[in-house]
Amino acid sequence: MRDAVGSFVGWPSYLIFPDAETPTRPTHKVGKGISRRIESVASQKEVPGRKLKSAAKDIPTTSRTKSQIMMRLEKMVDESDIMHGAIRSIDFDEGVFGAAHFEIIAKEDMQQLFEHDELGIAVIHTYIWYMYVTLMQGTELCNRFNFIVASRINATLITKNPTSVKNDLVDRFMAAGDNTTPSLYFLPFNSGNGGHWVLVAMDLSRLIVYYLDSLSGDWSKYPSMKKTVDAAIIKFRSKKNYRNRKDITWVRVQCPQQNNSVDCGFFVLRFMRDIIALNRIDIPKMYFEEYKSYSRAHLDEMKDELCQFIVDQRII
C-alpha cells in the first residue's frame, strides 16, 4: 500500500547529518528573519480563519496544471545547487513547536511538492511553520492551537523507546502553559517505516482526543500510539496536580477521505488548516459542513501557499 511516505523512516531532525562530501554552499539560515510582509499580514488578522473560509468557496473543483508560483519555485530549484546534492538547514521560530527546531530541506523534499508525491516529514513541518507564521503568529490563535514535532512522536520511535516518546509529549504539554482552557495539540502521526499519516488532535482540558484518518479505520490500528498518548496526558495532569475527572475520550472524526495512495500527508495538513481557519477547538464527529470532501484543487491550494512561503523566506 502506497498511502505512505515512501522510504521515510521517522527520525529526529537533530540527528540528521549530511554527508561530508556533499557539495554545498553555506547553508541559508532562515526562520528568525520573517519578512515584514508576512509578519504584518499575520498581525492584522483578528480572526484569520474567516478569510480562509471565504476564500475556500472560490476554489475550482479540479486542477492539474502547475501554478505560476510553483513553476517559479521549480525553476529556482533547478538552477540551484540543491539539484546537485546540496541541502538547506532551516531554523524555525521557537513558537512553532514550543522549542528550538531546525529542518533539513533537500531535492527529494521539493520534488514531493512539485510532483504531488507522498509527503515526507520535512514538507509536513515546513507547512506547519507556514501556518504558524501566516495564520497564527501575533493572534490569540497561538493560545488555542499547538503543534508537536512529528519526527519525535511516531510508531517507529514508540516501538524502540515508548518511555522517551511519552516524556517528549509531556515536555511539549508543559511548555505551553497550564492547559486549563480549551486548546488543541496537533500531532501529525506516521505509522513508521514508510507508513501512513493520520492526525491526532488533543484537548487536554476536556480530556478529548480527536482522531482524523483519510483512510477507513480508527486508532485501534495503532494501539501503541494510543497507549503512549494516554499515558502522556495522565502524566502531564499528574505533574500539574490536576484531578483526572474522567477517562480520556477518543473520537473518530468522519473526515474527508482520500481516493488514491499518496494523499494522506496532504490531508493531514488540510485537516489542521481547516480547524485553525475555522478557529474551532471542538471538532464535530461528522467533521465541518464547510469541508465535507476535498478536491485536488484544495490540495493544490496548499502547495501554492507553501511554494509562495518558501520563495518569500528565501529558503532556496
Side-chain angles (χ1 to χ4, degrees):
M1 184 179 295
R2 291 183 67 250
D3 49 11
V5 193
S7 59
F8 161 77
V9 177
W11 195 252
S13 58
Y14 61 82
L15 293 181
I16 300 175
F17 300 93
D19 193 312
E21 296 180 359
T22 299
T24 64
R25 64 188 178 192
T27 56
H28 181 63
K29 298 283 187 177
V30 297
K32 303 298 182 183
I34 299 168
S35 69
R36 292 301 304 172
R37 184 188 70 78
I38 290 179
E39 190 174 71
S40 61
V41 169
S43 64
Q44 291 169 7
K45 294 181 179 179
E46 295 181 1
V47 187
R50 291 180 181 171
K51 292 188 179 182
L52 277 176
K53 177 181 174 182
S54 60
K57 295 179 180 179
D58 299 326
I59 299 172
T61 56
T62 59
S63 176
R64 288 296 184 271
T65 59
K66 292 182 178 179
S67 66
Q68 290 185 349
I69 185 60
M70 180 175 288
M71 289 189 292
R72 177 186 173 190
L73 179 58
E74 193 167 15
K75 185 174 186 293
M76 292 171 62
V77 171
D78 287 343
E79 295 174 350
S80 75
D81 56 357
I82 288 181
M83 295 302 295
H84 305 288
I87 56 96
R88 298 293 184 270
S89 177
I90 312 171
D91 290 323
F92 283 23
D93 303 325
E94 291 190 7
V96 180
F97 294 118
H101 178 81
F102 78 91
E103 199 65 55
I104 298 293
I105 297 290
K107 174 183 175 181
E108 57 268 25
D109 302 308
M110 302 308 301
Q111 289 176 332
Q112 293 165 11
L113 193 59
F114 300 148
E115 299 171 11
H116 196 93
D117 205 350
E118 301 153 341
L119 295 185
I121 206 158
V123 177
I124 295 286
H125 281 169
T126 305
Y127 190 81
I128 286 174
W129 181 33
Y130 157 79
M131 288 190 290
Y132 173 81
V133 170
T134 309
L135 306 181
M136 296 169 53
Q137 193 172 48
T139 78
E140 54 93 21
L141 296 185
C142 287
N143 298 321
R144 292 174 63 81
F145 303 104
N146 306 278
F147 301 106
I148 296 172
V149 179
S151 54
R152 299 184 68 87
I153 316 291
N154 57 60
T156 301
L157 296 180
I158 289 174
T159 300
K160 292 179 178 179
N161 194 338
T163 300
S164 176
V165 173
K166 177 188 69 176
N167 291 337
D168 282 342
L169 267 176
V170 173
D171 289 344
R172 179 64 181 105
F173 298 155
M174 296 292 289
D178 60 12
N179 293 286
T180 56
T181 57
S183 63
L184 283 181
Y185 286 83
F186 292 124
L187 169 61
F189 178 80
N190 190 271
S191 61
N193 195 24
H196 176 57
W197 288 104
V198 302
L199 179 63
V200 178
M202 295 160 272
D203 182 343
L204 303 186
S205 68
R206 297 186 297 164
L207 293 178
I208 297 175
V209 179
Y210 299 99
Y211 179 88
L212 294 85
D213 190 344
S214 56
L215 294 176
S216 59
D218 61 18
W219 53 84
S220 62
K221 293 189 293 185
Y222 312 113
S224 61
M225 178 272 288
K226 182 180 184 300
K227 180 179 179 180
T228 301
V229 168
D230 286 347
I233 294 174
I234 291 171
K235 182 174 180 178
F236 162 74
R237 294 184 65 85
S238 175
K239 288 172 70 76
K240 285 289 190 177
N241 294 318
Y242 297 153
R243 294 179 57 189
N244 290 319
R245 305 180 305 276
K246 58 180 181 179
D247 293 335
I248 299 169
T249 300
W250 283 66
V251 177
R252 179 175 180 263
V253 178
Q254 303 294 321
C255 54
Q257 300 288 284
Q258 67 189 81
N259 58 9
N260 59 28
S261 60
V262 301
D263 277 350
C264 56
F266 290 102
F267 272 57
V268 162
L269 294 177
R270 186 78 203 197
F271 294 151
M272 290 188 285
R273 183 187 187 277
D274 288 349
I275 294 166
I276 296 170
L278 296 172
N279 197 5
R280 291 284 297 273
I281 299 300
D282 58 316
I283 306 174
K285 187 173 182 179
M286 301 306 294
Y287 204 55
F288 303 110
E289 288 295 329
E290 294 87 345
Y291 301 105
K292 284 297 186 182
S293 64
Y294 295 148
S295 69
R296 172 62 182 268
H298 285 97
L299 310 185
D300 287 346
E301 180 187 29
M302 294 192 304
K303 291 190 295 183
D304 288 348
E305 291 170 344
L306 186 53
C307 286
Q308 185 67 62
F309 184 69
I310 291 172
V311 170
D312 289 344
Q313 295 294 313
R314 298 180 175 86
I315 292 174
I316 304 304

